[in-house]
Amino acid sequence: DSISMGGMGDGRTKLGSLDVEVIGGRATLAGTTALAGSVIALDEALRAMVAAGTPVPAAVAAASTNPLDLIGQADRGRIEVGQRADLVVLDDDLMVRGVWLAGKPLDA
């Protein structure tokens, strides 16, 4: 997912004690070519993975179940009984169409 400058466009900021510069969607340590992190949202990353040839189920797992398993969060990341029911609804083009938190839709 993205650093705090995600979605804000080009500019400079601090990331901890580091100066970070975003130019053209690329976040680098200011004055260098060293990547400082990502500035794209997770849904955009999901679409990029699928566009690069990753099957949708594998891309969705990479954005949900897999990282949650790595940090030991067993109560989310799956659609099954006992889960938190935090969901993002995507359309056929993988665009966000809704968000559910604790089983209730959030207003747009």
Side-chain angles (χ1 to χ4, degrees):
D1 215 355
S2 75
I3 62 173
S4 59
M5 284 191 69
M8 295 177 66
D10 291 353
R12 279 181 92 122
T13 192
K14 288 271 195 193
L15 184 60
S17 63
L18 303 172
D19 290 317
V20 174
E21 186 172 44
V22 176
I23 300 173
R26 183 177 170 91
T28 59
L29 297 180
T32 76
T33 59
L35 289 177
S38 172
V39 290
I40 65 171
L42 194 53
D43 63 310
E44 188 177 342
L46 177 74
R47 287 189 297 277
M49 286 183 66
V50 172
T54 303
V56 171
V60 169
S64 60
T65 311
N66 296 354
L68 290 167
D69 286 348
L70 284 171
I71 62 171
Q73 296 296 315
D75 67 341
R76 60 198 85 185
R78 294 165 183 79
I79 301 173
E80 55 188 52
V81 174
Q83 296 291 294
R84 287 175 36 142
D86 296 344
L87 304 167
V88 175
V89 179
L90 304 174
D91 65 16
D92 290 340
D93 295 321
L94 304 176
M95 300 299 293
V96 175
R97 292 296 170 229
V99 177
W100 290 61
L101 184 60
K104 297 184 189 313
L106 296 180
D107 293 331

